[in-house]
Amino acid sequence: MCRLVASVLLAVSLVLSCECAFGAEAGPLAIMVPPGFEGPTRDDGNGGVTVAWIERQPASGGGTLLQVSAIDVGASLDGITRAQRVEGASHYLLEFVRGIGHSLENFEFGEFEQVSLAGLPAERVRWTAIDSGRAAIGVIYCVLVGHSVVSLQTRDTGTEITPAMYSAINAIEGVRVR
């Protein structure tokens, strides 16, 4: 009996001592937020929703962003083909990238890549810039889900993708439709 109690206590202490990812809803998607990311902050307005989490970096005073934004465009996406979804994701991704670049210096982005998010065709691009005098890097995705255009992104300071960004990228690439 003591052995059973000790095993149960050990199992409970291991569960309580680990940082676990947690599930969250963001527009039409569900995402597993990686350990260490705090939040969410949420903004509902203009027919859309933005949900964000930050993994704080005490040494630099900054943090790694994980953000999902969804804009409801109504029935205009009903019945579109897979090829039209790819074209639409590419079109909207360019709009999102332009929006990011508008407020940054030396903004550059790479080639769009076709990927799959939640089994749906999506597009992604990596970018670099200068933000308030500091190097910045990010990866942004776009996917059309139901009646929503969804952007998912991570960004951080520096010139290389950070471990926290890789965690966010894994979370983004693991999203599922709610």
Side-chain angles (χ1 to χ4, degrees):
M1 183 66 158
C2 286
R3 206 165 159 188
L4 176 62
V5 171
S7 295
V8 169
L9 288 175
L10 176 62
V12 169
S13 69
L14 288 174
V15 168
L16 293 177
S17 67
C18 76
E19 274 192 277
C20 299
F22 62 92
E25 294 179 356
L29 298 175
I31 188 168
M32 291 301 293
V33 178
F37 280 79
E38 301 170 1
T41 59
R42 183 180 176 102
D43 180 28
D44 293 277
N46 298 326
V49 60
T50 297
V51 185
W53 299 266
I54 300 226
E55 182 183 79
R56 306 241 179 251
Q57 312 286 331
S60 68
T64 305
L65 173 71
L66 169 58
Q67 179 178 303
V68 181
S69 299
I71 302 165
D72 187 332
V73 294
S76 64
L77 300 179
D78 286 348
I80 66 172
T81 67
R82 184 171 183 82
Q84 289 169 319
R85 285 189 180 281
V86 170
E87 184 180 320
S90 183
H91 167 79
Y92 287 110
L93 181 58
L94 182 57
E95 294 298 316
F96 293 129
V97 168
R98 286 179 178 156
I100 291 170
H102 181 71
S103 63
L104 301 171
E105 298 174 42
N106 298 351
F107 183 79
E108 296 180 3
F109 60 93
E111 295 292 320
F112 285 16
E113 300 174 82
Q114 189 174 344
V115 296
S116 178
L117 295 180
L120 298 168
E123 293 279 325
R124 125 181 115 194
V125 70
R126 181 175 169 173
W127 59 264
T128 58
I130 303 296
D131 185 9
S132 302
R134 297 172 71 180
I137 187 167
V139 180
I140 184 168
Y141 297 72
C142 183
V143 62
L144 309 181
V145 182
H147 289 168
S148 296
V149 175
V150 183
S151 73
L152 308 97
Q153 69 170 309
T154 183
R155 69 189 289 176
D156 206 339
T157 57
T159 57
E160 298 291 325
I161 293 178
T162 64
M165 286 179 72
Y166 280 118
S167 293
I169 288 168
N170 286 335
I172 290 168
E173 292 182 357
V175 296
R176 56 184 173 47
V177 177
R178 298 192 301 132

